[in-house]
Amino acid sequence: MSKTAREVLMDYQRSVNHITRDINLLRETILKIISECKEIDNSKLSVNELEQLLIELNLFDKEINEKAYDKKIPSDTHIAVETFKEINNYLQRKVDDILNIKVKAQEIRKNVLAKERELILKKYNDISLNNFKNIFEKIILEFKNLNQKNIAQLFFDQNMSKLINMNTNEIMYELNEFIKNQEAKDSAENIVKELVNNYKDDSDSVNLIKNEALTFVKKISSDNFSMSYKEFIKETEKKITDEEIRKDIVRKIIISIRNLGFNVERENVLKSQDGNNIIIRGEKITGETATFKVNLDGSYIYDFDGYEEHEHDKDSDAFIQKLRDFGLGTSNEFEKVYRQPTFKNKNASAKILKNNKNTKKN
């Protein structure tokens, strides 16, 4: 299979738009982390690392949006499979690079807070607990990060009765473990909130994020934070991208068949209960129907009904051309199955089922 230059470039631009939005969100996140780190002593080196990540991110943004491949692809040729793969591999490398920057920024934040926490708690090891409450108040005041203050306060509020029977080393160990795991959980929840906010105008994407977040937030800990975060972002963004591609295909299918005289109402576009398929049904005033099932991976099958013998070819060929005009890749190879129509009208005596298994995502 091959794609036209126009189709490849439209695929490329769609991916670029998605990556650019991701870069903008990440840039805001890193700036927030920088601001947070500046409130903590001895964090200058970490701030410098974060600023370097911003520089890398800006370079990625510039490179991707220059559309380097645009100059390499003549507009009147078909693109070989090898070139198509090369472009997709390039985009995937950039997605992976950006994901690594996300993880690195969160690791820097985590390490800065951990170093600050450990320095504070070390000061209170092996001291006398003559004034139990006073010491706890001093520890809480030591934290410059507001979230750490709140977590420390929560720890003392929840565990005061058992802490009375512990020595300071034991208390500092328990407090350290409590804070670092609560920080991981809070960070996970903030990551989810930021991601939801980025897609707040798309209810389907928001629902996808929230579903993925259930497992992510539940299993997160300080020890597995980076790995869990990377898995969550990678899986969530893949599903969001796939859903965006599918919605774009659905939109183009609806426009295409409407242009062919099929009526498609909102209630004629339904998502299956498991969310794996979207069903589209259009009908002409003369009784002919067209039904489409769009899968999660962007492939689709369609069914034209109510045509006499091969009269369906006129509509189906026009439909394929309209999708190509949209830049939607389709395969020229498909299976035709003729059978008796499910209803009779003045034109209907044959039915066609076209299964385009090689339809590509965009």
Side-chain angles (χ1 to χ4, degrees), residues 85-100:
K85 287 180 178 178
E86 178 189 348
I87 292 174
N88 279 336
N89 289 338
Y90 165 77
L91 291 172
Q92 187 57 53
R93 286 197 301 272
K94 294 305 167 188
V95 169
D96 291 342
D97 289 340
I98 292 167
L99 178 56
N100 289 333

Side-chain angles (χ1 to χ4, degrees), residues 29 33 36 102-103 105-111 113-114 117 145 147-148 151 179-195 213 216-218 220-222 225-226 228-229 232-233:
T29 299
I33 294 174
E36 190 175 12
K102 289 180 181 180
V103 174
Q106 292 294 338
E107 285 178 343
I108 291 172
R109 177 186 180 275
K110 176 173 173 279
N111 291 337
L113 293 175
R117 181 180 67 247
N145 180 269
N147 191 51
Q148 286 188 325
I151 295 173
I179 291 177
K180 74 178 187 180
N181 285 314
Q182 189 61 44
E183 279 179 344
K185 183 178 176 62
D186 290 347
S187 294
E189 291 175 348
N190 287 331
I191 287 166
V192 173
K193 285 178 183 177
E194 288 179 357
L195 202 53
F216 170 55
V217 174
K218 184 177 180 179
I220 200 72
S221 71
S222 178
F225 182 85
S226 294
S228 296
Y229 173 51
F232 166 68
I233 292 296

Side-chain angles (χ1 to χ4, degrees), residues 14-15 18 21 88 92 199 202 204-205 208 212 233-251 271 275-278 294-299 328 360-362:
R14 185 180 296 108
S15 297
H18 181 81
R21 180 170 60 181
N88 279 336
Q92 187 57 53
Y199 291 94
D202 184 347
D204 289 329
S205 292
L208 280 172
E212 290 296 316
I233 292 296
K234 197 166 188 175
E235 186 65 24
T236 301
E237 290 186 347
K238 180 183 182 303
K239 289 185 177 182
I240 289 173
T241 301
D242 288 347
E243 186 62 21
E244 286 178 347
I245 290 170
R246 182 166 70 165
K247 286 167 113 176
D248 186 57
I249 292 172
V250 167
R251 182 181 66 82
K271 183 178 283 190
N276 290 335
N277 308 114
I278 294 178
V294 185
N295 302 315
L296 278 174
D297 63 358
S299 65
L328 231 179
K360 294 292 183 184
K361 295 193 297 182
N362 288 271

Side-chain angles (χ1 to χ4, degrees), residues 3-19 64 67 69-70 73-75 77 79 84 87-88 91 241 244-245 248-249 251-252 255 321-329 360-362:
K3 279 196 169 192
T4 66
R6 181 169 177 268
E7 289 170 344
V8 171
L9 290 176
M10 288 183 73
D11 286 354
Y12 180 85
Q13 189 57 54
R14 185 180 296 108
S15 297
V16 165
N17 291 340
H18 181 81
I19 292 171
I64 290 170
K67 298 183 184 178
Y69 281 96
D70 197 2
I73 305 173
S75 60
T77 64
I79 306 305
F84 181 63
I87 292 174
N88 279 336
L91 291 172
T241 301
E244 286 178 347
I245 290 170
D248 186 57
I249 292 172
R251 182 181 66 82
K252 289 173 179 177
I255 292 173
Q321 185 55 51
K322 286 185 180 297
L323 289 186
R324 287 192 175 276
D325 290 343
F326 273 127
L328 231 179
K360 294 292 183 184
K361 295 193 297 182
N362 288 271

